[in-house]
Amino acid sequence: ASNVLPAARSQFGAASWNNRLYITGGLNGSGTAQNTVYISPSLSGGDIGSAWSSSTTFDVARSGHVTVAYANN
């Protein structure tokens, strides 16, 4: 992959849907829980060829959770 997440994350949730990766919440480099949702561009041959985008954030910051993509929901 040629493009990394816009900010450092650990203990985040991740799901793959419709040729994109979704990264939710997690801890930033200082160990503070985050409410951000990052979406990769459409994957081409397994590579992330351009910058990630952000989506609607959670109301509450979270880390150590599970993210699931299910039936367009």
Side-chain angles (χ1 to χ4, degrees):
S2 57
N3 283 287
V4 297
L5 286 174
R9 289 289 181 271
S10 65
Q11 298 184 26
F12 53 84
S16 173
W17 180 73
N18 201 25
N19 245 4
R20 296 178 188 271
L21 297 176
Y22 293 79
I23 305 298
T24 60
L27 301 177
N28 67 9
S30 300
T32 303
Q34 301 296 300
N35 65 347
T36 51
V37 176
Y38 292 123
I39 304 168
S40 74
S42 185
L43 300 175
S44 174
D47 287 333
I48 299 171
S50 60
W52 291 72
S53 61
S54 296
S55 183
T56 304
T57 60
F58 292 121
D59 291 336
V60 177
R62 59 196 72 207
S63 65
H65 61 284
V66 174
T67 300
V68 176
Y70 175 73
N72 278 341
N73 293 307

